Amino acid sequence: MKYKLTLLLLACCSMMQAQTPVYLDPSKDIEARVEDALSRMTLAEKIDVIHAQSKFSSAGVKRLGMPDFWTDDGPHGVRPDVLWDEWEQAGQTNDSCVAFPALTCLAATWQPLVSSLYGRALGEEALYRGKGMILGPGVNIYRTPLGGRNFEYMGEDPYLTSRMVVPYVQGLQSCGVASCVKHYCLNNDEEYRHQVNVIISDRALHEIYLPGFEAAVKEGKAWGIMGAYNLYKDEHNCHNQYTLGKILKQDWGFDGVVVSDWGGTHNLDQAVRNGLDMEFGTWTDGLTMGATNAYDNYYLSKGYQKAILEGKYTTKELDEKVRRVLRLFFRTTMNKQRPYGFLCSEEHYVTARLVAGEGIVLLQNDRNVLPIQPKGKKILVVGENAIKMMTVGGGSSSLKAQHEISPLQGLQERLKVSDCQIEYARGYVGDVSGNYNGVTTGQNLKDDRSPEELINKAVEKARTADYVVIFGGLNKSDYQDCEGHDRKTMDLPYAQDKLITALASVNKQTIYVNISGNAVSMPWRKQVPAIVQGWFLGSEAGTALASVLVGDTNPSGHLPFTWYENLSQVGAHSFGEAAFPGIWREGKKIIDEEYKEGIYVGYRWTDMKKLKPAFAFGHGLSYTTFKVSNLRSAFDETTDGNMTFKVDVTNTGDRPGADVVQLYISDVKCSVDRPVKELKAFQKVMLKPGETKTVTLSTDKRALSFWDEATDGWKAEPGEFIAWAGDSSDRLTCKVKFTLK
Ligand code: GLC
């Protein structure tokens, strides 16, 4: 008997060898594998793979050997595991990660290569952690400085966002880990994100708010897109026929999966017909509440299966969803060619420091107070943000970092070799809490002294210090830089303005370092000689900041958004409540928010209104100086639209440094209104003292085009254009005219 059984098994094995199923054969084309797998799946198995089975996972197909699929937040690092069906921590001891700088810092590098390294490093961490999809990057446009999640995004300009998101997606997916570009679309503020219905012109939609997503899909070949919570044309963006069916899948040819935001699915028929492929987090607000183990009750679960069995739907839509999920599997969990993952490797810390060092922006440096000359000096460090951990909090992008070096620690470590004295004064008390979603910082920031005592103590020490370095700004608490709410004001919280003014009045070498993802009002700006935008820099924050402050690193970051003086300079806040945060409809279920400023977002607005912001889009200083000159077109006077420009950049200072050459285009005469100028090319260039390089900047007809609402497409009108070049939107030092045939 045993002998016969052995013979039978041998026969089966040889048969299997002879007929490896197509879906299991890595040599076969993915589409063939998809069709083969689809043909083998039962209805129940098809239903299983299109909705969550736990907080962050969806089912594979056990019978066919396709593993469960794991997603995880977030854009800046791999979120620690939560329990199967709870938002609380799973309490793993092997899921601490590298916290990379927030994406506004990445955008501020203006260096696509750095973005590629970022995506790759994050992909390696995700791979090691067994995740098939990272829920990021975010590319929503910075429409208002109050936006709670701006720190997770790449600024106000669609072109900069487009150039920076593509390499991130490519780097991440080179690890066989899917990106899930979010939050598609028009999720530009947080307070009423589940109820907002955005009203917007087609021009503003296509010229400002979609390009980042379009580039991620068409150039980055993103494998995932996350539908946003809010509505557009009265349909929720997680199942919106116009944005998902027409624009994303039909016009852009997106072949990946549309994943709902957690709790963003609200309607079975729309979920079936309007382009949603994977339903996650239903009945949660994405953060906390939710019915336990309600996965069978999801819209795309038993209810959908029942509707099919009752003949309400064929399996046409279902098979289309499953094809996309299977394609995702074969790109990730079923992809045998994936590289190895790494967690907390030195290379990843190098990447974190590189992004930070290239993204920190030197906003102001009167009298060249910076870099600090530490020898023999007494340096007073002030502020809660010099010691407070920032990797915990902020919502779903919160992390459990293996370590986070604070600005104070970074300075102490860097300066221990320099004969200098460092003192610390709290200066203000902001948010002493230190936990999010079960992750705790372990810090005890409690301090019962009154604001007056704190300020007086700091001022007393400042009188005898050679330098005062204030670390202030925002943090990751609710109503600051945090998901789920927007700020209520552009002003600094916790009476910091009073502290900064007091310190600057007693010490002429005062340096203010702003830790935030958003612009803040700086009424004391003229009294403080040096100002640095320090972003949320993650694990290596202190190391990177110290390196810039003492001059080991020459800062080369440039602002990815306009730094307004105050809200009166912001388009979104110039048309009353209807434009922000919106007007509630009867019954208070939906709030209509009309983007009345249209395409005039950021510098497009301040240019048109001739407003002078505190610091302009694209602004960033260096410890050396540069000259941008001699812009010329490498084509004759007229062009068919494909254009190449050349411009010279000279380091006119005495130390090496990098400058960001920016090219803006103006349409001199057009049948529709257009911004004064728009960013259409840029390049970061490293120069030795005295060195001049000729930079080539290429662009194409799309750069001259506007969205023509009459024909629902891009249109460039023949005629005269002007190209401007410089190293900030308000420092354009050369121009050249040309004509589009
Ligand atoms: C949250 C966020 C989204 C996140 C998801 C999972 O609500 O909006 O960015 O990826 O839910 O945490």
Side-chain angles (χ1 to χ4, degrees), residues 590-631:
I590 290 183
I591 178 168
D592 287 311
E593 184 178 28
E594 188 171 357
Y595 288 15
K596 289 174 178 273
E597 76 281 8
I599 59 175
Y600 299 100
V601 176
Y603 66 89
R604 290 171 168 84
W605 175 263
T606 52
D607 280 351
M608 177 184 65
K609 293 291 183 182
K610 297 185 174 42
L611 298 170
K612 188 172 178 349
F615 299 105
F617 171 79
H619 170 74
L621 299 179
S622 168
Y623 294 145
T624 183
T625 50
F626 299 100
K627 180 163 71 84
V628 178
S629 60
N630 189 17
L631 174 66

Side-chain angles (χ1 to χ4, degrees), residues 30-31 34 173 216-218 220-225 244 247-250 252-258 277 320-329 331:
I30 274 195
E31 294 314 310
V34 165
Q173 296 187 168
V217 167
K218 285 183 172 174
K221 305 296 180 203
W223 296 338
I225 285 276
L244 297 175
I247 295 177
L248 179 69
K249 293 184 174 182
Q250 180 183 306
W252 295 351
F254 176 65
D255 72 355
V257 292
V258 172
D277 300 307
E320 178 50 23
K321 298 177 200 299
V322 176
R323 280 193 181 89
R324 290 170 182 270
V325 176
L326 288 169
R327 199 170 293 136
L328 178 66
F329 289 174
R331 287 168 166 166

Side-chain angles (χ1 to χ4, degrees), residues 55-56 71-75 79 87 135-136 149 152-153 182-183 187 190 193-194 226-227 229 260-263 284-287 395-397 436 483:
K55 281 297 180 220
F56 283 95
T71 71
D72 207 3
D73 289 315
R79 179 176 181 162
W87 286 109
L135 301 168
R149 295 185 83 171
E152 292 186 56
Y153 306 144
K182 67 189 186 182
H183 303 83
N187 181 184
E190 288 297 298
R193 59 181 178 163
H194 296 276
M226 184 186 290
Y229 285 128
S260 74
D261 198 342
W262 269 236
T284 74
D285 62 1
L287 299 176
S396 57
S397 63
Y436 176 77
E483 173 177 345

Side-chain angles (χ1 to χ4, degrees), residues 88 167 173 256 375 434 646 698 706:
E88 278 317 296
Q173 296 187 168
K375 190 169 174 44
K646 291 184 182 298
S698 296
F706 62 90

